[in-house]
Amino acid sequence: GNSVTQMEGPVTLSEEAFLTINCTYTATGYPSLFWYVQYPGEGLQLLLKATKADDKGSNKGFEATYRKETTSFHLEKGSVQVSDSAVYFCALSVPGNTPLVFGKGTRLSVIA
Amino acid sequence: GAVVSQHPSRVICKSGTSVKIECRSLDFQATTMFWYRQFPKQSLMLMATSNEGSKATYEQGVEKDKFLINHASLTLSTLTVTSAHPEDSSFYICSAEGQKQETQYFGPGTRLLVL
């Protein structure tokens, strides 16, 4: 079946630190991969996506590269800010089977 | 980007009452809408998929008679929690997918508290 595994949190970093949140997947077919962010008390917002191997999604300083050989889509940011504190969800969608499959989420706390 | 709204954002009700939650795509036509449930500090669990003009497809373990879904138009889907009980208290999130089926856009969520 299709599944997403992401590193468990919580992750606590100091402002301007480097962030990596690992995400690996298993899927039938060729999935599209997503990172969503959920700020406290809010719904999910699409952060970035990649639809094929070697694509790099980027937004707001965050990046993730679709690695087919390692079935990974790790999220990175070079310098985090307090405002990045949120829960980050890795997700996949397989063509023809559009419901998203989510990882369990990783809570990030950035302290000043 | 595309905007999806939910109403209400927060609702408190007594046990045994029914609650309706609306999900609207504001600037695009959503051929498919999804309803998720999220427990505290957990991931989203897909409850059902609804396509405009047809019956919703429920995930295993989700009671279709308890969670009534109506997708009457390309911009509106409703979830009605019937005879709500305290264990139904949760954060309910909808998402909508446009005709190109490239990306799901999520609503801000509705927090339901059943007393």
Side-chain angles (χ1 to χ4, degrees), chain A residues 16-81:
Chain A
E16 299 184 2
F18 184 86
L19 168 71
T20 299
I21 300 178
N22 290 336
C23 171
T24 57
Y25 68 89
T26 58
T28 55
Y30 297 96
S32 294
L33 302 173
F34 306 83
W35 276 100
Y36 283 86
V37 57
Q38 185 178 32
Y39 297 103
E42 299 183 13
L44 271 68
Q45 300 176 26
L46 178 65
L47 181 60
L48 53 85
K49 69 176 182 179
T51 58
K52 61 182 186 295
D54 299 325
D55 269 0
K56 177 186 284 188
S58 61
N59 185 26
K60 299 181 180 180
F62 291 89
E63 293 183 340
T65 301
Y66 189 143
R67 300 287 188 198
K68 186 179 177 183
E69 63 275 14
T70 54
T71 61
S72 65
F73 193 55
H74 304 322
L75 181 69
E76 296 182 336
K77 185 173 185 180
S79 177
V80 293
Q81 304 300 312

Side-chain angles (χ1 to χ4, degrees), chain B:
Chain B
V3 179
V4 175
S5 70
Q6 278 184 243
H7 177 79
S9 59
R10 187 184 299 266
V11 57
I12 301 173
C13 68
K14 293 182 178 179
S15 185
T17 60
S18 294
V19 175
K20 179 185 284 188
I21 303 170
E22 294 186 348
C23 176
R24 294 182 184 273
S25 56
L26 298 184
D27 51 0
F28 68 103
Q29 292 186 328
T31 52
T32 304
M33 287 185 170
F34 303 90
W35 286 95
Y36 295 85
R37 183 173 180 177
Q38 185 182 30
F39 291 101
K41 298 185 179 181
Q42 295 189 25
S43 189
L44 281 71
M45 293 179 53
L46 180 66
M47 298 175 65
T49 303
S50 73
N51 293 295
E52 184 266 338
S54 61
K55 289 184 178 181
T57 301
Y58 290 82
E59 296 298 301
Q60 191 173 12
V62 178
E63 299 176 59
K64 62 180 181 180
D65 293 331
K66 179 165 186 66
F67 298 99
L68 301 179
I69 292 172
N70 184 284
H71 192 163
S73 77
L74 286 172
T75 59
L76 173 64
S77 176
T78 60
L79 167 67
T80 301
V81 183
T82 62
S83 186
H85 288 92
E87 58 265 30
D88 298 324
S89 299
S90 190
F91 195 47
Y92 292 87
I93 303 175
C94 74
S95 69
E97 187 175 76
Q99 291 172 333
K100 292 184 179 180
Q101 298 183 339
E102 291 180 347
T103 304
Q104 286 184 33
Y105 297 94
F106 284 79
T110 297
R111 190 165 301 283
L112 170 65
L113 177 60
V114 184
L115 301 177

